[in-house]
Amino acid sequence: MLVATSCTKDLEYEVNEVQLNAPGTIKDNEKTNQQYAAILHANLFQDALSANELYELDQCIQSIGDKELAREVIISNFMNKPGVIIPDDATMRADIEAFIIGTYNRFLVRNPTEAEKTWFRNYIEADPNVTPEIIYFSFAMSDEYLFY
């Protein structure tokens, strides 16, 4: 009589911890005043600032104690200058998803999550007074935009 027996070994699986963040969301280095102004200008005009303009904006930001207020003034001034590249309201509403993805890529250098796309789509569709300027302004003032 032949008896077959076998040894069984308990399987152990090792799992590496993985941080679940969307690509590009870890931004922990704050932009300098000059980096902020240069990148903002490039985002709004698709063109670089001159060294003199960059120096003047840096001096302006440093002279104002409230940096957030200084950034608001700079954004407003940029948006009122000729040559700023902002889609019109009809273009935004004709393809809201493309506008959202384009805005995230332009300002935050990443794609929006599905939750972010849904939130912005609902926000834009629910309020006829929301303009691309308001959305661009909010992105430029966001904490994520301030860091790289």
Side-chain angles (χ1 to χ4, degrees), residues 3-4 6 10 12 24 27 30 36 41 44 85 87-88 90 92 95 99 104 118 121 125 133:
V3 177
S6 66
D10 292 331
E12 292 182 25
K27 301 175 181 176
E30 186 174 350
Y36 181 85
H41 190 274
L44 293 176
I85 300 170
D88 61 24
M92 175 183 75
D95 191 351
F99 173 78
Y104 268 84
T118 300
R121 185 181 320 106
E125 288 174 348
E133 291 85 6

Side-chain angles (χ1 to χ4, degrees), residues 80-148:
N80 289 323
K81 279 185 162 183
V84 66
I85 300 170
I86 300 176
D88 61 24
D89 191 64
T91 302
M92 175 183 75
R93 293 185 187 281
D95 191 351
I96 293 174
E97 184 156 335
F99 173 78
I100 295 166
I101 292 170
T103 303
Y104 268 84
N105 288 322
R106 190 174 191 173
F107 285 91
L108 304 181
V109 194
R110 68 176 177 88
N111 289 321
T113 64
E114 288 302 316
E116 290 167 331
K117 282 194 283 190
T118 300
W119 189 89
F120 264 104
R121 185 181 320 106
N122 292 340
Y123 178 69
I124 292 168
E125 288 174 348
D127 190 346
N129 296 319
V130 172
T131 64
E133 291 85 6
I134 292 172
I135 293 175
Y136 276 24
F137 190 92
S138 66
F139 271 76
M141 286 301 298
S142 71
D143 286 341
E144 186 175 342
Y145 189 70
L146 189 56
F147 289 82
Y148 67 92

Side-chain angles (χ1 to χ4, degrees), residues 1-141:
M1 171 175 197
L2 183 63
V3 177
T5 62
S6 66
C7 298
T8 59
K9 182 178 178 182
D10 292 331
L11 296 176
E12 292 182 25
Y13 297 98
E14 293 183 21
V15 179
N16 294 331
E17 289 188 29
V18 176
Q19 191 165 357
L20 299 177
N21 291 329
T25 58
I26 300 173
K27 301 175 181 176
D28 51 4
N29 294 316
E30 186 174 350
K31 294 174 185 164
T32 65
N33 295 337
Q34 291 186 352
Q35 287 172 328
Y36 181 85
I39 294 169
L40 178 66
H41 190 274
N43 288 153
L44 293 176
F45 294 93
Q46 305 294 302
D47 191 18
L49 267 174
S50 72
N52 288 341
E53 291 173 311
L54 198 52
Y55 176 78
E56 289 174 6
L57 284 174
D58 183 39
Q59 295 297 306
C60 176
I61 294 172
Q62 287 184 30
S63 68
I64 299 174
D66 186 349
K67 287 187 178 187
E68 189 170 321
L69 176 63
R71 287 193 294 270
E72 286 179 14
V73 171
I74 290 169
I75 296 167
S76 294
N77 285 336
F78 279 173
M79 286 190 167
N80 289 323
K81 279 185 162 183
V84 66
I85 300 170
I86 300 176
D88 61 24
D89 191 64
T91 302
M92 175 183 75
R93 293 185 187 281
D95 191 351
I96 293 174
E97 184 156 335
F99 173 78
I100 295 166
I101 292 170
T103 303
Y104 268 84
N105 288 322
R106 190 174 191 173
F107 285 91
L108 304 181
V109 194
R110 68 176 177 88
N111 289 321
T113 64
E114 288 302 316
E116 290 167 331
K117 282 194 283 190
T118 300
W119 189 89
F120 264 104
R121 185 181 320 106
N122 292 340
Y123 178 69
I124 292 168
E125 288 174 348
D127 190 346
N129 296 319
V130 172
T131 64
E133 291 85 6
I134 292 172
I135 293 175
Y136 276 24
F137 190 92
S138 66
F139 271 76
M141 286 301 298

